[in-house]
Amino acid sequence: MFMNHFEIQIKIVKHRKHLVYMCLSQYNDIVVLKFKKIGAKYSSTYRAWYLPYNKDNELKLKQNFKSIHFVPTDKLIQNKINYDTLQPLIHSKINMYAQFLKAENYSESSIKTYKGLVTKFLAFVNNLNYTKEDVLNYLAHIRDNGYSASTMRQTLAGIKKFSSYNNSINLNTSDWKYPRKSKPLPKVIAEQQVKKMITQTSNLKHKSIIACLYATGMRRGEIQRLQIKHINGKRNVILIVNAKGMKDRIVPLSAYLKQLLREYYRLYRPKKYLFEGEKGGQYSNTSIANIINKSAIRAKIIPKVTAHMLRHSFATHLLERGTSLRYIQELLGHKSSRTTEIYTKVSTQSLQNIPNPLDNLFETIDNDIPF
């Protein structure tokens, strides 16, 4: 028995990052069986059956629903592009985008970051002719998936730069507002905890890496790029070249670190970079992270310690020992003093001088509990 009075409307929509034929119709057992027969899946979001958008599935729909009025809705979507077709176009555009960023003298780190973020965005929208609404939807999507405000802001910056280069669209991005910043406090460990990490690390290279990160406030990428020629033992300074913002800066070489690096150099004899992998070249991100994590575990430090926590601790401990914020700003390579001022919120220097009203009520005795 043919059900000619049932109409199926085919809408081409994006579902789970891919274009599909979404088949809208009244409920009917025969229709459901036909959909199951051709391998369609049911979407509870659309309350409809769907198939991936390709020629084979278009043919299946036409062959299996001859008895039902088929209504193609070609006005529902512009620029119908199959994802498999779009992939090479995205790849080509992204590579050209990288060349564009190089021509504008962006750092290799920034180019790598922007390439990755924009590639994910284009894969999500599945369209090179995206709109402002597509961008807003994507930012909402990554926020819902637990990404930080910093990642959201970086993503928008990458998309804005890509939009200025991408001649496929004509978007005015000047009025696009960046997502609001979150303001977490820097995570810091105590001086004695840093000492434990260093003294309880027996491997000389690993010990030198931890000491160098803490003694200089370097970022992880900066210590990876640090070369032997950048260590000036006569002036007791270390030159950090082409750091964040394409800036160079100088940091002091402590007496202890100088002695430690001399012992390390005699034993390992690195060729170019101060810290090199087994096969030469820069030490890897993962290796540095693992070294710090294992050292913190040996020192029985409860929170997970990272290279950036050592940088934060360096700045906070300097501040607590009376170093001017202006000098700390220079040592860290901060563009704005407002960035450096955040360490005043985690320094205990002023807090220790504030009498707590609870201590006025009770007599306290120090003991050996671990906090």
Side-chain angles (χ1 to χ4, degrees):
M1 179 178 178
F2 294 127
M3 308 295 294
N4 290 321
H5 59 284
F6 283 100
E7 179 180 291
I8 292 180
Q9 186 180 28
I10 308 297
K11 291 187 178 181
I12 302 170
V13 299
K14 187 178 69 180
H15 183 59
R16 295 179 179 176
K17 301 183 183 180
H18 299 285
L19 290 179
V20 299
Y21 292 108
M22 195 64 68
C23 307
L24 307 175
S25 69
Q26 290 179 275
Y27 179 83
N28 180 271
D29 288 339
I30 296 175
V31 172
V32 171
L33 288 172
K34 283 181 175 286
F35 279 129
K36 288 182 177 179
K37 178 184 174 182
I38 62 174
K41 295 181 180 179
Y42 186 76
S43 167
S44 56
T45 304
Y46 287 90
R47 296 183 180 180
W49 294 83
Y50 68 92
L51 287 162
Y53 174 67
N54 58 49
K55 290 291 183 182
D56 289 341
N57 285 329
E58 183 180 351
L59 186 61
K60 284 182 184 178
L61 288 167
K62 289 179 179 178
Q63 288 175 341
N64 284 274
F65 293 104
K66 290 179 180 177
S67 60
I68 300 174
H69 184 53
F70 185 85
V71 183
T73 52
D74 54 359
K75 293 182 181 179
L76 290 171
I77 187 167
Q78 303 295 325
N79 306 315
K80 301 176 192 175
I81 305 174
N82 187 294
Y83 185 71
D84 292 335
T85 305
L86 186 60
Q87 273 285 60
L89 296 175
I90 290 177
H91 185 71
S92 174
K93 277 281 187 183
I94 287 295
N95 285 338
M96 292 169 66
Y97 175 51
Q99 295 301 110
F100 170 73
L101 294 175
K102 283 182 181 179
E104 293 208 344
N105 202 26
Y106 276 72
S107 69
E108 288 299 323
S109 176
S110 295
I111 293 171
K112 182 180 178 180
T113 299
Y114 280 169
K115 276 182 66 178
L117 294 173
V118 174
T119 300
K120 288 180 180 179
F121 164 68
L122 293 176
F124 179 84
V125 298
N126 194 33
N127 201 331
L128 284 168
N129 299 319
Y130 53 85
T131 64
K132 182 179 179 180
E133 287 69 29
D134 290 327
V135 176
L136 296 177
N137 286 337
Y138 181 67
L139 292 175
H141 165 75
I142 62 175
R143 184 200 173 199
D144 290 343
N145 281 273
Y147 287 86
S148 66
S150 175
T151 301
M152 292 172 67
R153 291 171 67 88
Q154 270 192 321
T155 298
L156 183 56
I159 294 171
K160 286 180 72 171
K161 181 62 69 171
F162 181 79
S163 301
S164 68
Y165 149 76
N166 183 10
N167 53 18
S168 300
I169 59 173
N170 184 23
L171 289 176
N172 178 17
T173 63
S174 60
D175 62 342
W176 291 9
K177 293 183 179 179
Y178 284 93
R180 295 170 62 189
K181 282 184 179 180
S182 57
K183 297 180 180 179
L185 290 175
K187 295 179 180 178
V188 174
I189 59 176
E191 289 180 340
Q192 286 303 312
Q193 289 177 311
V194 177
K195 183 178 180 180
K196 279 186 177 181
M197 286 181 65
I198 295 170
T199 56
Q200 294 183 16
T201 301
S202 57
N203 183 293
L204 186 55
K205 179 188 279 190
H206 298 175
K207 179 183 288 192
S208 300
I209 288 172
I210 295 168
C212 193
L213 283 167
Y214 174 71
T216 62
M218 274 192 273
R219 300 176 179 91
R220 186 170 61 181
E222 292 169 351
I223 202 170
Q224 286 177 277
R225 296 189 296 271
L226 185 64
Q227 297 183 27
I228 300 163
K229 65 182 181 182
H230 297 148
I231 312 294
N232 191 326
K234 292 181 179 179
R235 294 185 60 213
N236 290 326
V237 294
I238 298 174
L239 174 63
I240 302 174
V241 177
N242 202 18
K244 189 174 182 180
M246 307 288 285
K247 295 182 295 185
D248 297 351
R249 71 180 189 277
I250 290 175
V251 294
L253 173 61
S254 82
Y256 177 81
L257 181 61
K258 184 177 181 178
Q259 178 185 335
L260 192 62
L261 291 181
R262 278 177 173 167
E263 293 176 21
Y264 158 75
Y265 182 80
R266 290 191 189 104
L267 181 62
Y268 284 89
R269 294 289 176 179
K271 295 179 180 178
K272 179 179 179 182
Y273 297 100
L274 183 60
F275 300 109
E276 296 180 336
E278 291 183 3
K279 298 180 181 179
Q282 294 181 8
Y283 217 54
S284 72
N285 279 331
T286 306
S287 296
I288 293 175
N290 288 338
I291 288 166
I292 296 168
N293 188 43
K294 289 177 181 177
S295 175
I297 291 171
R298 281 193 296 271
K300 297 181 180 179
I301 301 172
I302 295 173
K304 182 179 179 181
V305 181
T306 64
H308 223 68
M309 282 176 69
L310 292 175
R311 174 176 163 87
H312 290 323
S313 301
F314 163 78
T316 305
H317 297 161
L318 281 177
L319 183 63
E320 290 174 345
R321 289 182 174 274
T323 306
S324 163
L325 273 174
R326 182 74 184 91
Y327 287 124
I328 297 172
Q329 178 188 346
E330 290 296 326
L331 292 174
L332 295 178
H334 286 163
K335 183 177 180 181
S336 169
S337 60
R338 293 169 68 181
T339 307
T340 317
E341 285 169 5
I342 195 170
Y343 295 109
T344 61
K345 297 181 180 181
V346 291
S347 169
T348 61
Q349 184 181 31
S350 300
L351 292 176
Q352 301 297 338
N353 298 323
I354 302 173
N356 194 293
L358 184 63
D359 292 336
N360 294 331
L361 304 178
F362 300 95
E363 184 178 347
T364 59
I365 302 173
D366 288 337
N367 56 36
D368 61 352
I369 61 173
F371 53 83

